[in-house]
Amino acid sequence: MGQALVELWPILLYFCFTILLLIGVMLVSSVLGPRTAGHSTDLPYESGILSLGSARIKFGSHFFLYAIFFVIFDLETLFLFAWAISVEQVGVAGFIEALVFILILLVGLLYLWRIGALSVVNRHIVSHSSTRKK
């Protein structure tokens, strides 16, 4: 137990420093941050989503989709990097497998582009005509 603690103290110190830094940044931002209650405070910001009650998150789901696409294609880049390191060991069979992998990625990207998932549009703006009572 003592040897493990001796080996892990830098990680524990880093973890404690990180928590203290996060708490400090949040406190400083709450003290120094703006507190305005003007006309535009509760209006939709950029994405067109109306806030619900006291919700402060005002960005649309298409930003979330971009984040997911980035993570997916970033992970595939990691797989291709691992293939590039071992290209001599895997030979022609590994090269064909990498080409199939890239082809699957391209088909997925073309599909996303075809259905319009990559285009930023005002999908979430509620028009006044759809909110009127009939």
Side-chain angles (χ1 to χ4, degrees), residues 115-131:
I115 66 171
L118 300 176
S119 63
V120 176
V121 293
N122 297 330
R123 301 180 205 171
H124 306 289
I125 294 179
V126 178
S127 65
H128 294 291
S129 62
S130 66
T131 57

Side-chain angles (χ1 to χ4, degrees), residues 1-9:
M1 178 67 179
Q3 180 66 21
L5 190 58
V6 168
E7 292 176 1
L8 291 178
W9 78 265

Side-chain angles (χ1 to χ4, degrees), residues 5 7 12 15 18 20 26 28 40-41 48 54 57 59 62 68 71 73 77-78 80 82 95 114 119 127 132-133:
L5 190 58
E7 292 176 1
L12 294 173
F15 180 73
T18 304
L20 289 174
M26 290 175 68
V28 168
S40 302
T41 301
S54 64
I57 300 172
F59 54 88
H62 57 279
I68 293 296
V71 168
F73 287 106
T77 304
L78 188 70
L80 288 175
F95 180 71
R114 177 92 169 150
S119 63
S127 65
R132 289 186 200 144
K133 291 184 180 179

Side-chain angles (χ1 to χ4, degrees), residues 56-70:
R56 300 296 292 176
I57 300 172
K58 296 181 182 179
F59 54 88
S61 62
H62 57 279
F63 294 114
F64 175 72
L65 289 175
Y66 281 122
I68 293 296
F69 295 153
F70 173 76

Side-chain angles (χ1 to χ4, degrees), residues 7-96:
E7 292 176 1
L8 291 178
W9 78 265
I11 295 172
L12 294 173
L13 183 67
Y14 176 75
F15 180 73
C16 292
F17 178 72
T18 304
I19 295 296
L20 289 174
L21 183 67
L22 289 173
I23 291 170
V25 167
M26 290 175 68
L27 287 174
V28 168
S29 70
S30 67
V31 171
L32 299 178
R35 288 185 184 83
T36 58
H39 169 68
S40 302
T41 301
D42 292 327
L43 293 178
Y45 177 70
E46 289 185 0
S47 66
I49 295 178
L50 298 173
S51 62
L52 213 71
S54 64
R56 300 296 292 176
I57 300 172
K58 296 181 182 179
F59 54 88
S61 62
H62 57 279
F63 294 114
F64 175 72
L65 289 175
Y66 281 122
I68 293 296
F69 295 153
F70 173 76
V71 168
I72 289 170
F73 287 106
D74 193 41
L75 286 174
E76 275 114 19
T77 304
L78 188 70
F79 289 132
L80 288 175
F81 182 73
W83 168 79
I85 290 175
S86 64
V87 70
E88 291 179 359
Q89 288 86 14
V90 294
V92 176
F95 180 71
I96 293 172

